[in-house]
Structure formats: C-alpha cells, structure tokens
Amino acid sequence: MSNTLITPTMIAKVGLISLKNNMVMGNLVNRTYKPEFNKVGSTVEIRKPVKFTTTKSATRQTQM
C-alpha cells in the first residue's frame, strides 16, 4: 500500500465525475437557448434572506 495523500481537490474531482455520470435530468433539458446566456464573471452573488424578529410591544420597530 502506498503512502499517498488524498487531498480535497482529488476527492472533489472524483465526486464531480461520478455526479456527472449519474445525472439524468441534465441530459433531458432543452438547450436551444444556451447561446443567449453569457458568462460574465466567475462568482455568483446571492442576497442573504431577511431575518424577521418579533416583539411583544404594540409599536412598530424598524430593523437595520
């Protein structure tokens, strides 16, 4: 048995290969409009969801 280190990158590569091989829905999607979507950057920005709090007072308090 060899003493090779398994890195997270190696695990991710193997995991992505098996995920791609097991995908069924991806092959059934209509890709006619794919050229209309351009890749602008390498990151995706998602807004954080709003967190609501409750109080027992009858007045309205704004959140920041």
Side-chain angles (χ1 to χ4, degrees):
M1 202 173 258
S2 65
N3 291 332
T4 60
L5 295 175
I6 299 176
T7 63
T9 305
M10 294 168 65
I11 295 170
K13 285 181 183 179
V14 172
L16 287 174
I17 290 170
S18 65
L19 176 67
K20 187 175 180 182
N21 289 337
N22 290 325
M23 284 181 53
V24 175
M25 183 66 186
N27 295 329
L28 301 175
V29 173
N30 182 6
R31 299 181 195 272
T32 307
Y33 299 104
K34 186 176 180 179
E36 294 181 14
F37 297 97
N38 296 329
K39 183 177 178 181
V40 178
S42 62
T43 60
V44 176
E45 295 180 7
I46 301 173
R47 287 183 13 196
K48 291 184 179 180
V50 179
K51 294 182 180 178
F52 295 101
T53 58
T54 59
T55 59
K56 294 187 178 196
S57 63
T59 60
R60 181 179 151 246
Q61 296 178 358
T62 58
Q63 299 177 10
M64 297 264 174

